[in-house]
Amino acid sequence: MVPDFGQQALLSLLVNLSCIVITWWALQAINLEKIIKKGKVIQAKVLLILLTITIASIVSSFFINYLLWSQQLPFLF
């Protein structure tokens, strides 16, 4: 019932990458120019990248864990 490790790894990669893309797209709606100091463009971009990775990691972990837990439910009975 649980997929083999290769399929699980591929699914995890795809979920992580798609969450990164969606998070990056969503964070583009924030107007960072108002809160970033002048001349700190590089730091602002690095912050945006790190924030994207952090949020996407949390979201993708939730979905991957939810999928794995739902596959383990039949073992309860």
Side-chain angles (χ1 to χ4, degrees):
M1 185 118 177
V2 176
D4 70 333
F5 292 116
Q7 290 175 342
Q8 200 170 22
L10 180 62
L11 179 66
S12 295
L13 282 171
L14 291 175
V15 169
N16 276 304
L17 287 175
S18 61
C19 284
I20 287 173
V21 169
I22 292 169
T23 305
W24 179 261
W25 172 76
L27 286 176
Q28 296 303 307
I30 297 174
N31 189 3
L32 286 178
E33 289 81 23
K34 291 183 178 180
I35 58 174
I36 301 298
K37 294 180 182 178
K38 293 190 186 295
K40 302 292 184 178
V41 177
I42 301 293
Q43 288 95 334
K45 291 191 186 247
V46 169
L47 176 64
L48 192 59
I49 291 169
L50 293 174
L51 191 59
T52 299
I53 293 170
T54 303
I55 293 171
S57 176
I58 293 169
V59 172
S60 65
S61 292
F62 168 77
F63 284 117
I64 291 168
N65 284 335
Y66 190 84
L67 175 68
L68 294 177
W69 292 333
S70 66
Q71 290 176 341
Q72 294 172 358
L73 277 178
F75 298 116
L76 185 62
F77 302 104

